[in-house]
mmCIF file of all heavy atoms in Angstrom:
data_model
loop_
_atom_site.group_PDB
_atom_site.id
_atom_site.type_symbol
_atom_site.label_atom_id
_atom_site.label_comp_id
_atom_site.label_asym_id
_atom_site.label_seq_id
_atom_site.Cartn_x
_atom_site.Cartn_y
_atom_site.Cartn_z
ATOM 1 N N SER A 127 45.183 47.926 -40.128
ATOM 2 C CA SER A 127 46.460 47.244 -40.080
ATOM 3 C C SER A 127 46.789 46.839 -38.659
ATOM 4 O O SER A 127 46.477 47.537 -37.704
ATOM 5 C CB SER A 127 47.546 48.174 -40.622
ATOM 6 O OG SER A 127 48.812 47.593 -40.447
ATOM 7 N N SER A 128 47.455 45.699 -38.513
ATOM 8 C CA SER A 128 47.875 45.264 -37.195
ATOM 9 C C SER A 128 49.269 45.773 -36.862
ATOM 10 O O SER A 128 49.812 45.456 -35.828
ATOM 11 C CB SER A 128 47.843 43.742 -37.117
ATOM 12 O OG SER A 128 48.739 43.208 -38.071
ATOM 13 N N MET A 129 49.864 46.564 -37.767
ATOM 14 C CA MET A 129 51.185 47.121 -37.538
ATOM 15 C C MET A 129 51.086 48.296 -36.574
ATOM 16 O O MET A 129 50.087 48.997 -36.539
ATOM 17 C CB MET A 129 51.797 47.601 -38.867
ATOM 18 C CG MET A 129 52.063 46.472 -39.824
ATOM 19 S SD MET A 129 53.286 45.376 -39.122
ATOM 20 C CE MET A 129 53.554 44.282 -40.433
ATOM 21 N N PRO A 130 52.161 48.560 -35.812
ATOM 22 C CA PRO A 130 52.132 49.705 -34.906
ATOM 23 C C PRO A 130 52.070 51.003 -35.688
ATOM 24 O O PRO A 130 52.538 51.074 -36.826
ATOM 25 C CB PRO A 130 53.455 49.568 -34.131
ATOM 26 C CG PRO A 130 54.318 48.675 -34.959
ATOM 27 C CD PRO A 130 53.400 47.818 -35.761
ATOM 28 N N PRO A 131 51.489 52.067 -35.094
ATOM 29 C CA PRO A 131 51.385 53.335 -35.795
ATOM 30 C C PRO A 131 52.756 53.952 -36.022
ATOM 31 O O PRO A 131 53.719 53.622 -35.333
ATOM 32 C CB PRO A 131 50.531 54.200 -34.856
ATOM 33 C CG PRO A 131 50.672 53.566 -33.514
ATOM 34 C CD PRO A 131 50.930 52.123 -33.754
ATOM 35 N N ALA A 132 52.828 54.857 -36.990
ATOM 36 C CA ALA A 132 54.074 55.549 -37.294
ATOM 37 C C ALA A 132 54.463 56.423 -36.115
ATOM 38 O O ALA A 132 53.610 56.902 -35.370
ATOM 39 C CB ALA A 132 53.897 56.395 -38.553
ATOM 40 N N PRO A 133 55.785 56.664 -35.930
ATOM 41 C CA PRO A 133 56.207 57.512 -34.812
ATOM 42 C C PRO A 133 55.686 58.935 -34.979
ATOM 43 O O PRO A 133 55.461 59.387 -36.102
ATOM 44 C CB PRO A 133 57.735 57.462 -34.881
ATOM 45 C CG PRO A 133 58.090 56.879 -36.204
ATOM 46 C CD PRO A 133 56.885 56.149 -36.705
ATOM 47 N N PRO A 134 55.481 59.666 -33.863
ATOM 48 C CA PRO A 134 54.976 61.034 -33.950
ATOM 49 C C PRO A 134 55.934 61.925 -34.722
ATOM 50 O O PRO A 134 57.119 61.672 -34.775
ATOM 51 C CB PRO A 134 54.844 61.489 -32.496
ATOM 52 C CG PRO A 134 55.322 60.370 -31.636
ATOM 53 C CD PRO A 134 55.724 59.241 -32.517
ATOM 54 N N GLY A 135 55.399 62.966 -35.297
ATOM 55 C CA GLY A 135 56.208 63.929 -36.039
ATOM 56 C C GLY A 135 56.334 63.598 -37.504
ATOM 57 O O GLY A 135 56.952 64.340 -38.250
ATOM 58 N N GLY A 136 55.773 62.482 -37.927
ATOM 59 C CA GLY A 136 55.753 62.155 -39.354
ATOM 60 C C GLY A 136 57.048 61.560 -39.857
ATOM 61 O O GLY A 136 57.182 61.262 -41.012
ATOM 62 N N ALA A 137 58.077 61.419 -39.023
ATOM 63 C CA ALA A 137 59.342 60.864 -39.476
ATOM 64 C C ALA A 137 59.181 59.367 -39.692
ATOM 65 O O ALA A 137 58.581 58.679 -38.885
ATOM 66 C CB ALA A 137 60.440 61.116 -38.444
ATOM 67 N N ALA A 138 59.731 58.886 -40.777
ATOM 68 C CA ALA A 138 59.647 57.462 -41.063
ATOM 69 C C ALA A 138 60.670 56.728 -40.233
ATOM 70 O O ALA A 138 61.804 57.160 -40.106
ATOM 71 C CB ALA A 138 59.875 57.203 -42.548
ATOM 72 N N SER A 139 60.280 55.641 -39.662
ATOM 73 C CA SER A 139 61.178 54.855 -38.827
ATOM 74 C C SER A 139 62.007 53.949 -39.711
ATOM 75 O O SER A 139 61.513 53.349 -40.647
ATOM 76 C CB SER A 139 60.348 54.022 -37.852
ATOM 77 O OG SER A 139 61.187 53.110 -37.180
ATOM 78 N N SER A 140 63.308 53.846 -39.398
ATOM 79 C CA SER A 140 64.164 52.955 -40.173
ATOM 80 C C SER A 140 64.224 51.571 -39.551
ATOM 81 O O SER A 140 64.799 50.665 -40.118
ATOM 82 C CB SER A 140 65.569 53.547 -40.284
ATOM 83 O OG SER A 140 66.132 53.663 -38.979
ATOM 84 N N ALA A 141 63.638 51.395 -38.366
ATOM 85 C CA ALA A 141 63.631 50.083 -37.725
ATOM 86 C C ALA A 141 62.658 49.165 -38.453
ATOM 87 O O ALA A 141 61.573 49.581 -38.836
ATOM 88 C CB ALA A 141 63.224 50.222 -36.260
ATOM 89 N N PRO A 142 63.048 47.909 -38.651
ATOM 90 C CA PRO A 142 62.140 46.986 -39.344
ATOM 91 C C PRO A 142 60.927 46.678 -38.472
ATOM 92 O O PRO A 142 61.005 46.645 -37.261
ATOM 93 C CB PRO A 142 62.995 45.736 -39.574
ATOM 94 C CG PRO A 142 64.075 45.810 -38.541
ATOM 95 C CD PRO A 142 64.311 47.273 -38.287
ATOM 96 N N ARG A 143 59.806 46.427 -39.133
ATOM 97 C CA ARG A 143 58.585 46.052 -38.420
ATOM 98 C C ARG A 143 58.684 44.592 -38.025
ATOM 99 O O ARG A 143 59.283 43.800 -38.747
ATOM 100 C CB ARG A 143 57.356 46.286 -39.298
ATOM 101 C CG ARG A 143 57.123 47.750 -39.543
ATOM 102 C CD ARG A 143 55.837 47.957 -40.280
ATOM 103 N NE ARG A 143 55.553 49.390 -40.312
ATOM 104 C CZ ARG A 143 54.544 49.923 -40.919
ATOM 105 N NH1 ARG A 143 53.688 49.166 -41.555
ATOM 106 N NH2 ARG A 143 54.346 51.214 -40.897
ATOM 107 N N PRO A 144 58.056 44.217 -36.916
ATOM 108 C CA PRO A 144 58.151 42.812 -36.497
ATOM 109 C C PRO A 144 57.433 41.889 -37.488
ATOM 110 O O PRO A 144 56.368 42.206 -37.980
ATOM 111 C CB PRO A 144 57.449 42.798 -35.136
ATOM 112 C CG PRO A 144 56.589 44.024 -35.127
ATOM 113 C CD PRO A 144 57.274 45.023 -36.015
ATOM 114 N N ALA A 145 58.056 40.753 -37.748
ATOM 115 C CA ALA A 145 57.461 39.768 -38.667
ATOM 116 C C ALA A 145 56.467 38.912 -37.898
ATOM 117 O O ALA A 145 56.633 38.666 -36.714
ATOM 118 C CB ALA A 145 58.557 38.885 -39.269
#
Side-chain angles (χ1 to χ4, degrees):
S127 173
S128 61
M129 295 296 186
S139 171
S140 62
R143 292 186 171 177

